[in-house]
Every structure is written in structure tokens, then in C-alpha cells.
Amino acid sequence: MMNKSRRDVLKTLALGSSALFFSPNVLLAATRRKKDKLGIALVGLGYYSTDLLAPALQQTKNCYLAGIVTGTPAKAEAWKAKYNIPDKNIYNYQTFDTIANNPDIDVVYVVLPPSMHKEYVVRAANAGKHVWCEKPMAMTVDECQAMIDACNKNKQSLAIGYRLHHEPHTQEYRRIVNNKLLGKVTGVNCAAGYRDNRTNHWKQTRELGGGVLYDMGVYAIQGARLGMGMEPVAIVSATTSTTRPEIYKNGLDETTVAQLEFPGGVLADIKTSFGENVNFLNITCEKGEIKVEPYSAYNGLKASSPLGEIYHPYDIPWQQAKQMDDNATSIMQGKPMLVPGEEGLRDIRVVQAIYKSAASKQRVTI
Ligand code: NAD
């Protein structure tokens, strides 16, 4: 058996060698890996953070609500009391970058209007934090690429908040499509919309990321891309419109329809709207149709195909808890994110091509 003084010498040497050979970041990373739950900081305490993500973080097993970033002191007080968040984990937009020095925070989850996503994702990555970012990823492909680059440069993972990728009905229709269990896909029809009665929200403000195509439209684009199991090669045609020009000003889209062409000339029709409640995905295959309706709701999804019903009931906010637990597990195990930044970028590329087609009334190659 080793005597005490020898054990102490070895301990001292081990600590000494850590101090000599490991930078603070490596030590921090080692500390992080040892955690059994990751600490999440939500940035932007609006509807989605308040009603879905914070409640979901009370259900997650691999991560928890460790901190908040808000510009509204009253919200900071209310959240601090409700979720027992220590003062040292509460930031505003000016102090945000000092989150770099906070070992409680492993992941920064950006839940701001889309025009702000790029700035806060890059700042979070530069602060040495993993980043989760809500959809739509950003306003342009260039912004998306800058976000991916910043996370890569800082060796931090980046996940986009496409909760449906983590969801069983979605995973099941994708399995049918990708394994050609009903033969090849011959067409897709997808619609995602709801009646938005707000008049002056960021969704109705172009500079903040408004326009329905960025918001609900990415769900319709996802339905087309995932339903096809392929990437679109062109926008055949697209139209943007509004019946409320006093709210959707200067050509901002309240409703957008588009036809996407996929390899082999297969077509997908998509519709997205802030003017009507509509939500379905139909995937026509050689041997029958897969129908999902509602398709992108928080729960109550119903799906069927000639192979049978797809039935996985759950309550709100199970989807959000599953998404965050999946992502936390991937980080802790050093695995790639299920929905990396590249997936968010693909949709923004399509968004930009649809707007270009609508403006030019021309086919646009992607
Ligand atoms: P929201 O308007 O309710 O909240 C936005 C938050 O950003 C507010 O707390 C607001 O104070 C803050 N903010 C900071 N600077 C702002 C500025 N200059 N202008 C406006 N707000 C500012 O929006 P939300 O519905 O919570 O959406 C936030 C993000 O989450 C968006 O990217 C949205 O697409 C996404 N979202 C995703 C889902 C989903 O199912 N994945 C659902 C809803 C929203």
C-alpha cells in the first residue's frame, strides 16, 4: 500500500502537471465532461422561452435551466424567483459576453427574433459556449455560414431548434421515405400556417426577421425536403401576397406559395401563411400516400400510410424536452448534433431562392 506522503507527492505532481500542460479551456472542458447535466442559459425570454423551453427544462434529464439573458430587469426578477436562478447566472445584453467566465453555463440557447440570431450565436461561440439557436437560423446563407464558422473556430457545437427532427412521427415518416418502404416519392404537398392577429410584432417587421416564409415557411420547406428525402434543385415558381397590407407593409409576405423541383423532376407544393390555420404534410409515394396532420404542432400529431397508423402520444412540452435532452447527450458524448447549423442553412438557401423567384417571376436554380 502506498504511504501517505508518497500519495501526497503524486497528487501534487499530478496537479502540477495539469497546471503546466493544460490550458484553462482544456481544464474547463474536462470539468464540463464530468457533469451529468449541462447548464443551459436562455437568451430572450419571450413566448417560446416562457411557455415552452423553460417548462421543458423542468422535465429534462441531461440539462437544466442554469441561467438567463434578458434586457428586461422585471423579467430577470420574475424568472429568478420562479426558477431559483442565482444572480451570478443572470445577464443582460451588455454583460452577456462575460458569460465566458461562468462554468455553470455550458450551452447558450438563442431564442431571439431571427435578425438577432447571428450576432448572439457568434458572441456565444466566442465566449466558449455550445450554442443552440432557434429557427429560422438567420436571415441569409452568409449569416448562417458565419455562425457555423464561429462555432467551428471555437470548437463548440451548434444545433438548430428544429424540434420535429427529434419527434417520433417525423422520424417514422422519414424512415419510410428514406428506405423506400412505399417505393419512390412522386410528389409532396405541405402547408404550415396560423392566423396571427398581431399587428406590430417582429413577425410583421422585415428588419427583425419578419415575413411568414422565414417563420412558418421553414416548416413547409422542411416538409418538402424531409418528405422527399432529397434536396431541391430549383424553385419552379413562387408568389408572395397579403390580404392585410396595412399590417404586412411594403410587400412583406403574409402568405407564400411555391413549387420546388427535386432531382428527377419530382415536385413539391408548399404554402405558408399568417392568415389561416393550416398544417399538413402529404407525401405521395409509388405505393400509396403518407399523411401527417397536424404536422408541426407541439403535440397531437397524427400520421398514417398504407403501412398503418403512426401513433406516439405525448403532452406539451415533451418535444422541447426531448430535443434538448438529445442535444445535451450528444454534447456530453462528443457526438455530432442531430440538427447541425448546416441543416438550418439549407432552409435559408431555399427561403432566399423562393423570395428571388417571387420577385422575378422566374424559375430560380438553387
Ligand atoms: P417573442 O417576440 O415572444 O420573444 C422574443 C424575445 O426577444 C422577447 O423576450 C424580446 O424582449 C426579445 N428581444 C430582444 N431584442 C428584441 C428586439 N429588438 N425586438 C424584439 N424582441 C426583442 O418571440 P418568440 O415567439 O419567443 O420567438 C423567438 C424565437 O423562437 C424565434 O426565432 C422564433 O422563430 C422561435 N420560435 C420557435 C418555435 C419552435 O417551435 N421551434 C416556436 C416559437 C418561436
Side-chain angles (χ1 to χ4, degrees):
M1 213 175 115
M2 203 187 294
N3 67 36
K4 185 172 181 301
S5 61
R6 182 165 156 69
R7 218 172 38 226
D8 285 349
V9 169
L10 285 176
K11 208 165 129 191
T12 313
L13 278 174
L15 285 172
S17 63
S18 309
L20 275 176
F21 295 114
F22 297 115
S23 72
N25 275 349
V26 172
L27 287 176
L28 188 62
T31 323
R32 274 185 188 179
R33 270 199 298 279
K34 268 190 251 148
K35 286 186 179 179
D36 57 358
K37 274 183 179 221
L38 298 185
I40 314 301
L42 294 175
V43 186
L45 307 181
Y47 156 71
Y48 198 55
S49 285
T50 305
D51 286 19
L52 281 307
L53 297 177
L57 283 164
Q58 311 312 303
Q59 299 182 3
T60 45
K61 296 184 183 65
N62 309 322
C63 53
Y64 71 103
L65 180 59
I68 49 175
V69 183
T70 175
T72 313
K75 282 190 196 170
E77 282 307 310
W79 281 62
K80 175 182 161 177
K82 184 166 184 184
Y83 293 114
N84 201 18
I85 299 170
D87 282 327
K88 68 184 174 62
N89 293 357
I90 300 178
Y91 296 86
N92 59 40
Y93 298 112
Q94 287 71 46
T95 60
F96 173 66
D97 303 285
T98 64
I99 207 165
N101 308 319
N102 190 337
D104 290 355
I105 311 296
D106 302 286
V107 178
V108 167
Y109 195 162
V110 177
V111 200
L112 290 162
S115 63
M116 302 173 74
H117 289 181
K118 182 210 154 193
E119 176 186 344
Y120 282 88
V121 167
V122 171
R123 283 169 71 177
N126 286 342
K129 303 299 174 184
H130 298 291
V131 198
W132 300 344
C133 176
E134 259 316 313
K135 44 64 60 181
M137 183 171 174
M139 306 306 296
T140 64
V141 167
D142 287 350
E143 283 189 357
C144 295
Q145 193 58 55
M147 294 154 80
I148 293 168
D149 292 346
C151 291
N152 285 342
K153 187 184 82 189
N154 289 289
K155 298 190 170 38
Q156 304 300 317
S157 44
L158 171 61
I160 308 304
Y162 281 135
R163 54 191 162 75
L164 294 176
H165 284 244
H166 303 264
E167 196 279 334
H169 299 81
T170 309
Q171 292 179 340
E172 181 61 11
Y173 86 66
R174 295 187 72 187
R175 190 180 73 84
I176 295 171
V177 166
N178 293 337
N179 292 299
K180 299 194 169 51
L181 301 184
L182 292 171
K184 284 187 193 161
V185 176
T186 57
V188 168
N189 195 351
C190 189
Y194 70 94
R195 177 80 182 176
D196 195 322
N197 287 318
R198 291 172 290 193
T199 56
N200 198 22
H201 189 249
W202 58 259
K203 296 194 187 197
Q204 288 97 27
T205 310
R206 192 188 296 278
E207 305 74 55
L208 290 172
V212 72
L213 187 58
Y214 279 110
D215 191 60
M216 293 304 286
V218 293
Y219 287 111
I221 293 168
Q222 284 269 307
R225 291 183 45 241
L226 307 187
M228 286 284 181
M230 300 186 277
E231 293 304 319
V233 293
I235 308 302
V236 178
S237 63
T239 309
T240 59
S241 62
T242 180
T243 56
R244 296 180 285 175
E246 70 286 4
I247 299 172
Y248 295 89
K249 300 187 186 90
N250 302 320
L252 193 66
D253 54 324
E254 178 188 13
T255 298
T256 292
V257 295
Q259 190 169 62
L260 282 58
E261 185 182 317
F262 288 77
V266 194
L267 299 174
D269 287 296
I270 64 166
K271 176 176 187 176
T272 184
S273 181
F274 281 145
E276 67 177 296
N277 297 319
V278 57
N279 198 276
F280 67 82
L281 169 64
N282 290 342
I283 307 167
T284 309
C285 306
E286 288 168 321
K287 296 184 210 161
E289 196 167 33
I290 308 170
K291 287 173 174 281
V292 194
E293 183 172 7
Y295 142 74
S296 68
Y298 294 145
N299 74 348
L301 273 68
K302 288 195 172 60
S304 65
S305 84
L307 300 172
E309 299 286 315
I310 304 170
Y311 183 62
H312 298 280
Y314 48 77
D315 294 323
I316 296 171
W318 181 85
Q319 283 183 5
Q320 287 78 8
K322 172 78 162 37
Q323 170 203 320
M324 292 189 281
D325 264 343
D326 281 357
N327 288 340
T329 305
S330 296
I331 290 173
M332 288 193 283
Q333 296 180 349
K335 292 186 177 155
M337 296 290 105
L338 183 62
V339 189
E342 287 77 3
E343 176 68 1
L345 181 149
R346 286 180 201 112
D347 286 342
I348 299 306
R349 182 182 290 135
V350 176
V351 165
Q352 289 190 277
I354 290 175
Y355 278 136
K356 193 171 169 189
S357 175
S360 64
K361 302 277 169 240
Q362 302 282 317
R363 175 189 165 92
V364 170
T365 306
I366 298 175

